[in-house]
Amino acid sequence: MAGRARVDDAPERLVRAAIGLLAEQGPSAVKARSVASASGLSTMVVYSHFGGIPELMGAVADHGFKELGRAFAQVPVTEDPVADLFAMALTCRRLARENPHLYDLMFGLSTRATYRPLTDAHLRLSGHSPAFREAHAHVAAACARLVHSGRVEQEEPGVMAAQLWSMVHGYITLELAEHFVEFDDAVVQVLLPMGVNFCVGLGDKRERAEASHEAGVRLYDSIVQGR
C-alpha cells in the first residue's frame, strides 16, 4: 500500500517540487533531474506522468490558478462589489509577491524564454484551462454584481472583468519588475487611485469609489489577519 501511495501522489509531489524550485532558485533550476530529486522520485517518473518539463510547467501553472481561485473564494461577498474586487486585487498581488516566478509562469512571462516552446494546442489552451476559468469566474461574478448595483453604466460584465484583469496584472507585473521603487507605498499611490479612476470612468461617483477601495483594503487586511 505504501508503494501504491507513493506512485499515486507522484504528480502532486512533482508539481509541488517544481513550485518550490521556482520560489527558491527561479525557472533555470526546474529540470527533470532537479524536480525528481526535490520530490524524492526518479527522473523517469517526470516523463512518465507529464511527458517533459513543458507539460509539467503547464500543471504547475494550473496549480497556481487553483490556489488563486481558492484565495479569491476566501474573499467574502459583501454588499460592496468594488470593495470585494479590490480585496481580490490585493490578494492576487500577495500571491504574486510570494512566488514571482510562479506568477510569471501562470501569465506567460517566463515560459517563452525559459522552456522549450509548447505546441500550438497547449498555447491555445493556456488562457482557457478550467483552473484559470474557475479563478477568473470570481472576478467576473463581482463585476456582474457591480453592474447590477447600478453604480456604474451598463457594461458587459465579462468585458469589465477583462479590463480590470488587465489593469491589475499590468500593475503587478510592473511592481514585480521594480518600476515603482520611487513610491513609498505603490499600492496606496498607484494601484488604489488607478482602481478609483477605473470605477469613475465606468460612471461611479468618485467619493463612493474611494470609500469602497478603502473598504477593500480593510476587507483584505481582515482576511490576511485571519489566515
Side-chain angles (χ1 to χ4, degrees):
M1 294 296 293
R4 176 173 292 278
R6 184 180 180 86
V7 172
D8 289 347
D9 69 355
E12 180 180 354
R13 288 168 61 181
L14 292 169
V15 166
R16 292 193 176 277
I19 290 173
L21 288 169
L22 280 172
E24 296 166 10
Q25 303 178 47
S28 63
V30 183
K31 299 179 173 62
R33 183 173 297 179
S34 60
V35 172
S37 176
S39 63
L41 300 169
S42 70
T43 303
M44 185 56 64
V45 176
V46 177
Y47 295 105
S48 63
H49 280 285
F50 293 102
I53 291 298
E55 292 78 13
L56 171 60
M57 290 299 96
V60 169
D62 274 352
H63 182 91
F65 280 117
K66 289 175 183 176
E67 289 294 320
L68 181 61
R70 282 190 281 268
F72 282 165
Q74 292 176 357
V75 177
V77 176
T78 74
E79 295 181 356
D80 189 338
V82 173
D84 299 350
L85 283 166
F86 196 59
M88 281 190 273
L90 294 174
T91 296
C92 191
R93 172 183 178 265
R94 172 176 55 80
L95 293 181
R97 289 168 63 87
E98 288 175 354
N99 193 337
H101 291 299
L102 175 58
Y103 176 83
D104 286 350
L105 175 70
M106 291 164 60
F107 289 92
L109 304 178
S110 66
T111 53
R112 288 185 294 275
T114 306
Y115 307 109
R116 170 172 56 84
L118 294 171
T119 65
D120 288 345
H122 281 95
L123 290 173
R124 286 194 298 271
L125 182 61
S126 60
H128 304 282
S129 70
F132 168 83
R133 290 200 302 269
E134 289 173 13
H136 191 264
H138 292 279
V139 179
C143 286
R145 294 197 301 275
L146 177 55
V147 171
H148 295 153
S149 73
R151 289 178 56 175
V152 298
E153 297 176 1
Q154 287 297 315
E155 175 78 73
E156 170 59 41
V159 173
M160 183 189 297
Q163 294 170 350
L164 183 61
W165 192 254
S166 301
M167 182 190 77
V168 170
H169 291 292
Y171 168 86
I172 293 173
T173 300
L174 291 172
E175 185 184 35
L176 291 178
E178 301 184 354
H179 282 273
F180 301 135
V181 294
E182 70 271 25
F183 295 101
D184 294 329
D185 188 335
V187 169
V188 171
Q189 294 171 276
V190 180
L191 182 59
L192 190 153
M194 182 165 58
V196 170
N197 291 337
F198 178 83
C199 290
V200 171
L202 291 171
D204 200 9
K205 295 185 181 300
R206 180 166 295 276
E207 295 79 7
R208 190 169 186 180
E210 290 173 346
S212 290
H213 278 75
E214 291 169 0
V217 173
R218 294 192 295 272
L219 178 60
Y220 169 76
D221 287 342
S222 69
I223 296 168
V224 172
Q225 291 168 7
R227 292 176 64 200

